[in-house]
Amino acid sequence: MTITQAQTAAWIQSYARAVNENVDQLNKLDAAIGDGDFGASIQRGLQSATELLPTLSEEDIGTMLSKIGMKMMTVMGGTSGPLMGTLYIKMGSKAQGKMELSALEFGDAFRTGVEGVMQLGKAQVGDKTMIDAYAPAAEALVTALNEQTPFPIAVAQATAAAKAGYENTAKIVARKGRASYIGERGLGAIDPGAYAGYMLLKSLSDVLL
Ligand code: ADP
Ligand code: MG
């Protein structure tokens, strides 16, 4: 199984739609442990990305993803802008010249994107950031694909790992980002970046199923 350029574009579009529908919730999650701008920021980033998509329909997946990443980096403020941008840019670096990726190539590209975010933000699993959703998802995806799990099922497993990851952020104290300023008082609150990470995986599931 593969993912085409058009499916990759549909994925970003579907994610932008999901974020639009959940923007208030994402802002509220950020307001509880940060400054409340996360929803608006990622909405703005994805809005610009989807506006760019029609101009990218002839581009390969790598070029499309890196242009989306650069756009998101420029229009999104805050901590998450450079981090989200890096996810797409690093993912794109593994898809240069390709109009279609095999499931394994996609898994490898996604993991490379997540590793890029970890290098930039220096966050590990357990720091109560987006990495708590992305890292287990990337690991689940690559493991499942290596075991020859059909692509949509592997993505569903990665989505489940991201869900478990974001849910766990409520049980831990933040060690990175603005949420670390309030320390233990953030216990019980879900990290917005991790929740948005789960949404990205869920959107991919929806497009592939
Ligand atoms: P801020 O308003 O503090 O500049 P944003 O609202 O743009 O930040 O983004 C907040 C999200 O960024 C958090 O929910 C968290 O998931 C993520 N985040 C913060 N620091 C890091 C980091 N070092 N590495 C990865 N993700 C991070
Ligand atoms: Mg914020």
Side-chain angles (χ1 to χ4, degrees), residues 45-90:
L46 287 164
Q47 169 74 32
S48 303
T50 50
E51 281 167 14
L52 208 60
L53 277 181
T55 70
L56 301 175
S57 59
E58 306 293 311
E59 305 275 16
D60 62 83
I61 297 175
T63 304
M64 174 173 68
L65 287 175
S66 61
K67 287 194 174 169
I68 283 173
M70 284 188 275
K71 190 62 167 181
M72 290 186 71
M73 230 183 234
T74 359
V75 302
M76 277 177 76
T79 309
S80 54
L83 295 168
M84 294 308 318
T86 297
L87 179 72
Y88 297 101
I89 292 168
K90 289 282 175 183

Side-chain angles (χ1 to χ4, degrees), residues 140-203:
L141 181 63
V142 170
T143 303
L145 292 172
N146 281 334
E147 290 165 356
Q148 266 120 53
T149 308
F151 194 15
I153 296 173
V155 172
Q157 288 173 2
T159 306
K163 183 169 192 284
Y166 94 68
E167 285 171 350
N168 189 58
T169 61
K171 299 177 194 147
I172 55 182
V173 176
R175 285 192 292 243
K176 283 278 183 292
R178 204 181 287 272
S180 65
Y181 307 164
I182 64 161
E184 302 230 328
R185 280 185 291 132
L187 277 173
I190 285 169
D191 178 70
Y195 186 69
Y198 157 72
M199 288 170 63
L200 181 63
L201 272 298
K202 176 77 172 65
S203 299

Side-chain angles (χ1 to χ4, degrees), residues 29-30 33-39 41-42 76-84 117-118 120-124 127-132 134 169 175-179 181 190-195:
L29 290 176
D30 192 34
I33 56 171
D35 58 356
D37 65 346
F38 180 76
S41 181
I42 191 165
M76 277 177 76
T79 309
S80 54
L83 295 168
M84 294 308 318
V117 178
M118 292 176 79
L120 180 65
K122 312 250 181 307
Q124 301 293 325
D127 287 346
K128 193 170 173 131
T129 70
M130 58 177 79
I131 295 307
D132 286 304
Y134 285 121
T169 61
R175 285 192 292 243
K176 283 278 183 292
R178 204 181 287 272
Y181 307 164
I190 285 169
D191 178 70
Y195 186 69

